[in-house]
């Protein structure tokens, strides 16, 4: 059977070709599995923010000290991004994500039994190492499993795990802390990590393996490959050479610094929003957890409806993919500036409206930017490119909780913290506009070789 016959198409009145979707949905089960993994990742990361009051009380921490403790995860998470990307490109998603999930569990248990703040810092550093491959792995898997026209929705699905962590995870953790205590919240995390590990080992494999085992149709496999999916049989010839080559690309720095601008505000909210609601708006732990879920819900809807479904629909209908994706990023950054409105808010409702509106814009930036490494990376290098982007982004994330805590200690309020976030967004927008350039694949220039995987 020819590829043409396996992929029937319809021609519209305008002359554009619309490809009929194939029989089989194996690729979407992979997207949901990745979303579940990212959800567990973010519950692990965010729970520390909900436990701020009881944990700080037990160990006698100032706001600045708690900011340092909160950022400990990001120290190792940022440092391990590039090594994790090279490991993903060399050994594949299944081996690296599987090993990581085991370490998630260990880090949660270590936090639950901690006898001092320094042990929690060690556990957070370990968690950073363990979760470093999460996003690069999801981005790499997207390139392997999805045609180019469906990567927006796939990215939205796995990235939505970060939002559901706020919508579902934060209230769960807040309820656990309020009912039993902060240590029990980390035992809940440990159990969730084991559940994901079992699901991942059972369900994940590459498209070729799925096809050989009869767990996906030939029609769906051909649809994925013919749609521009990354080959599973290509890997970097030199891991360090690949990273060095990518670091010399202006496009890579435009994407990385742009996302870092949005990342600064995102991590400020992830680590300090419950604390902000508790201290500045006089909310209880449970109230702050529920309010913190509202911006996450706005992000969830924004990225799935606009950054995922709408972007893929418009591009699939024949619109210029470069203009659509860059347009969504620019609009998203402008909308994200609404978070600054919280600096001048005096009620919980007003503050959370500004933060939720701005967060919807941040979601558009993230979901679109996270779809780009699989689209522009040289063959076999999506993991390394995604890791570079995430590393630069996370350097801003490391600074955000520390700077915020310092500002709060010096000024007694969050006003200037939100204004600093607005400045970071303006810098990120300039990077996207002036550095990133056209969204097209970076030439491989001989840095990859065929390999059997």
């Amino acid at each position: 059977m020819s590829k043409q016959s396996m992929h029937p198409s319809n021609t519209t009145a305008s002359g554009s070709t619309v490809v009929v979707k194939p029989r089989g949905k194996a690729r979407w089960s992979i997207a949901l599995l990745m979303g579940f993994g990212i959800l567990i990742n973010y519950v692990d990361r965010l729970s520390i923010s909900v436990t701020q009051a009881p944990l700080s009380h037990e160990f006698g921490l100032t706001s600045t000290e708690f900011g340092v403790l909160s950022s400990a995860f990001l120290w190792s998470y940022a440092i391990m991004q590039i090594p994790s990307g090279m490991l993903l490109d060399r050994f594949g998603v299944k081996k690296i994500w599987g090993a990581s999930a085991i370490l998630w569990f260990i880090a949660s248990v270590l936090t639950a039994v901690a006898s001092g703040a320094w042990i929690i810092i060690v556990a957070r550093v370990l968690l950073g190492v363990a979760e470093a491959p999460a996003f690069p792995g999801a981005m790499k898997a997207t390139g392997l499993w999805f045609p180019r026209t469906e990567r927006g929705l796939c990215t939205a699905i796995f990235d939505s795990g970060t939002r559901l962590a706020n919508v579902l995870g934060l209230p769960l953790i807040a309820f656990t802390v309020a009912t039993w205590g902060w240590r029990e919240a980390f035992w809940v995390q440990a159990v969730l990590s084991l559940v994901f590990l079992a699901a991942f080992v059972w369900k994940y494999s590459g498209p070729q393996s799925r096809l050989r085992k009869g767990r996906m149709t030939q029609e769906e496999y051909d649809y994925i490959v013919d749609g521009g999916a990354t080959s599973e049989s290509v890997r970097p010839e030199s891991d360090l050479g690949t990273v060095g080559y990518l670091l010399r690309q202006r496009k890579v720095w435009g994407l990385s610094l742009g996302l870092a601008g949005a990342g600064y505000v995102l991590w400020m909210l992830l680590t300090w929003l419950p604390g902000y609601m508790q201290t500045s708006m006089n909310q209880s732990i449970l109230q702050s957890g529920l309010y913190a879920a509202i911006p996450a819900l706005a992000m969830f809807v924004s990225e799935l409806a606009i950054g995922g479904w709408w972007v893929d629909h418009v591009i699939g209908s024949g619109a210029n993919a470069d203009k659509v994706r860059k347009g969504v990023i620019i609009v998203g950054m402008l909308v994200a500036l609404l978070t600054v409105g919280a600096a001048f808010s005096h009620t919980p409702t007003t503050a959370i409206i500004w933060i939720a509106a701005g967060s919807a814009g941040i979601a558009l930036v993230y979901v679109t930017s996270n779809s780009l490494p699989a689209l522009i990376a040289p063959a076999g290098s999506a993991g390394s490119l995604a890791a570079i982007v995430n590393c630069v982004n996370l350097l801003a994330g490391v600074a955000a909780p520390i700077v915020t805590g310092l500002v709060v200690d010096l000024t007694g309020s969050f006003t200037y913290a939100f204004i600093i976030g607005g400045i970071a967004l303006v810098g990120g927008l300039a990077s996207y506009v002036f550095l990133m350039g056209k969204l097209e694949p970076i030439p491989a220039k001989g840095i990859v070789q065929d390999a059997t995987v």
Side-chain angles (χ1 to χ4, degrees):
M1 184 182 291
S2 68
K3 289 182 180 179
Q4 182 177 5
S5 63
M6 284 190 293
H7 301 290
S9 60
N10 298 322
T11 302
T12 65
S14 63
S16 61
T17 300
V18 179
V19 178
V20 177
K21 299 296 173 66
R23 183 172 51 86
K25 302 293 182 182
R27 64 196 187 281
W28 296 112
S29 69
I30 296 298
L32 290 172
L33 180 64
M34 292 190 295
F36 181 39
I38 297 298
L39 167 63
I40 304 304
N41 262 229
Y42 265 72
V43 171
D44 290 349
R45 303 174 195 190
L46 296 176
S47 57
I48 198 75
S49 65
V50 180
T51 63
Q52 177 196 357
L55 192 151
S56 295
H57 176 74
E58 180 166 339
F59 296 118
L61 304 178
T62 67
S63 293
T64 300
E65 289 170 338
F66 181 79
V68 172
L69 185 148
S70 297
S71 71
F73 162 82
L74 290 171
W75 306 341
S76 55
Y77 188 65
I79 291 171
M80 287 301 296
Q81 282 300 302
I82 293 177
S84 72
M86 293 190 295
L87 289 171
L88 285 161
D89 286 339
R90 179 63 54 183
F91 298 107
V93 175
K94 184 160 189 172
K95 291 180 180 178
I96 302 304
W97 259 42
S100 295
I102 296 172
L103 294 180
W104 306 348
F105 169 76
I106 295 173
S108 295
V109 171
L110 189 58
T111 306
V113 301
S115 59
W118 70 271
I119 296 179
I120 297 179
I121 290 178
V122 171
R124 299 297 290 179
V125 170
L126 175 61
L127 185 67
V129 173
E131 296 191 351
F135 268 91
M139 294 179 208
K140 184 176 180 67
T142 299
L144 295 172
W145 268 98
F146 283 84
R148 298 174 72 87
T149 55
E150 291 183 346
R151 292 183 188 175
L153 183 55
C154 174
T155 304
I157 289 173
F158 79 69
D159 197 56
S160 68
T162 65
R163 320 311 166 202
L164 289 176
N166 288 74
V167 176
L168 302 177
L170 278 187
L172 172 64
I173 296 299
F175 175 79
T176 303
V177 173
T179 305
W180 293 290
W182 69 268
R183 294 181 186 276
E184 284 74 11
F186 291 98
W187 284 113
V188 170
Q189 287 182 196
V191 172
L192 291 174
S193 296
L194 287 180
V195 171
F196 170 74
L197 176 61
F200 182 77
V201 171
W202 175 49
K203 291 289 291 183
Y204 187 85
S205 63
Q208 291 179 8
S209 176
R210 273 285 185 98
L211 182 64
R212 287 195 301 268
K213 294 177 181 178
R215 296 169 62 188
M216 72 182 297
T217 65
Q218 180 71 49
E219 183 180 350
E220 183 179 14
Y221 178 81
D222 290 336
Y223 172 77
I224 292 170
V225 173
D226 294 346
T230 305
S231 172
E232 295 179 81
S233 61
V234 174
R235 69 185 186 193
E237 185 175 46
S238 167
D239 297 318
L240 290 176
T242 298
V243 171
Y245 173 69
L246 292 173
L247 287 173
R248 294 193 296 272
Q249 306 303 308
R250 177 177 172 178
K251 189 185 307 294
V252 172
W253 283 104
L255 174 58
S256 301
L257 294 174
L259 190 59
Y264 180 93
V265 178
L266 178 63
W267 278 104
M268 178 183 73
L269 295 175
L270 289 177
T271 55
W272 277 105
L273 182 54
Y276 163 69
M277 300 304 292
Q278 291 167 27
T279 57
S280 295
M281 299 299 166
N282 299 314
Q283 290 195 317
S284 67
I285 293 175
L286 186 56
Q287 285 176 320
S288 69
L290 293 173
Y291 265 70
I294 296 174
L297 183 60
M299 296 180 81
F300 177 75
V301 173
S302 173
E303 68 182 0
L304 278 178
I306 302 175
W309 177 84
W310 184 81
V311 167
D312 281 355
H313 174 73
V314 171
I315 292 175
S317 299
N320 184 288
D322 177 71
K323 291 182 179 179
V324 171
R325 291 189 174 106
K326 288 183 72 173
V328 169
I329 288 174
I330 292 171
V331 170
M333 291 294 278
L334 293 173
V335 173
L337 286 167
L338 294 176
T339 54
V340 179
F344 311 101
S345 299
H346 302 289
T347 66
T349 301
T350 303
I352 213 66
I353 288 174
W354 283 114
I355 293 171
S359 295
I362 292 175
L364 293 181
V365 175
Y366 258 77
V367 69
T368 308
S369 296
N370 285 340
S371 72
L372 297 184
L375 290 166
I376 68 174
S381 304
S384 295
L385 176 53
I388 291 171
V389 174
N390 217 24
C391 180
V392 176
N393 170 32
L394 287 166
L395 292 176
V398 169
I402 297 176
V403 171
T404 302
L406 183 60
V407 168
V408 171
D409 275 343
L410 290 175
T411 67
S413 78
F414 283 82
T415 299
Y416 289 104
F418 282 105
I419 293 174
I420 291 171
I423 295 172
L425 287 169
V426 172
L429 177 60
S431 296
Y432 278 125
V433 172
F434 299 111
L435 290 179
M436 190 166 65
K438 189 174 181 180
L439 300 178
E440 57 187 5
I442 298 170
K445 298 194 71 171
I447 63 168
V448 297
Q449 63 181 9
D450 289 334
T452 301
V453 295

